[in-house]
Amino acid sequence: TELESLIEAHPDNPNLKNLLARFCVNHSLRLELAERTIRSAVSAEPGNSALLLTLGRVQLALHRHSDAAQTLERVVKLGSAGYDSLYYLGLSYVGLGDSQKAREAFELAIKEDPERPEAREELRKLEVGNISLLPLGRLEDYRFSSEMLDQVL
């Protein structure tokens, strides 16, 4: 791809690596490439919250919820946790079956940006008790189950 060519031409540019990894995760494409690319950027800049957020998102997309939680917890510890990092941290806890930590992360995300609906929707699912429908490693089933639940309610 053109992004891969740009990275080859500028191998020390973490922003290009982040852009490629985010594109891949946003479109569920070549997630292994995304992980290799973002890990390379994180190794060069281990305290970069934006890169860590992307790594956490890639790990979440690969259904590695424990890794994603650890990575996103690093973002929180760096003191730069915004809505997205808290939201994805909550999703990683959902994937681990830890509804209490998921709830806390979603509530913090809502405090960061009360206008965004995603964390509020995930929190609603937890309050309805939908988390019991989540088999470990199957985040897409969790979302599908919520849609089914909405039809019933």
Side-chain angles (χ1 to χ4, degrees):
T1 68
E2 289 184 39
L3 278 175
E4 288 175 285
S5 298
L6 279 172
I7 290 171
E8 287 177 20
H10 306 279
D12 296 328
N13 188 325
N15 294 323
L16 286 175
K17 292 176 181 180
N18 193 31
L19 184 63
L20 173 62
R22 285 178 44 210
F23 177 83
C24 290
V25 77
N26 287 344
H27 298 284
S28 298
L29 299 171
R30 301 181 67 189
L31 295 175
E32 291 76 19
L33 170 68
E35 183 178 31
R36 280 193 313 273
T37 303
I38 197 63
R39 279 193 183 282
S40 169
V42 168
S43 68
E45 295 188 23
N48 185 318
S49 296
L51 300 177
L52 289 169
L53 171 60
T54 301
L55 176 58
R57 290 185 60 205
V58 169
Q59 291 166 326
L60 191 60
L62 290 168
H63 306 289
R64 294 207 316 266
H65 301 107
S66 181
D67 293 337
Q70 289 175 5
T71 299
L72 295 165
E73 286 167 355
R74 283 176 57 195
V75 175
V76 172
K77 288 177 185 168
L78 288 170
S80 52
Y83 179 91
D84 287 333
S85 56
L86 293 165
Y87 171 71
Y88 289 111
L89 180 58
L91 290 179
S92 68
Y93 289 140
V94 167
L96 291 170
D98 191 334
S99 60
Q100 182 57 38
K101 283 187 175 181
R103 184 175 287 108
E104 291 169 6
F106 292 139
E107 287 172 351
L108 288 171
I110 292 166
K111 286 181 184 175
E112 284 291 318
D113 191 345
E115 300 301 315
R116 291 191 53 190
E118 303 93 349
R120 192 174 307 283
E121 174 61 19
E122 297 301 326
L123 189 59
R124 185 189 69 77
K125 291 176 195 175
L126 289 174
E127 289 169 354
V128 173
N130 196 28
I131 194 147
S132 63
L133 300 176
L134 174 66
L136 288 180
R138 300 286 310 266
L139 196 57
E140 65 276 5
D141 288 347
Y142 176 66
R143 289 195 177 104
F144 178 74
S145 297
S146 174
E147 291 168 8
M148 296 283 293
L149 183 63
D150 288 341
Q151 291 175 6
V152 173
L153 297 177

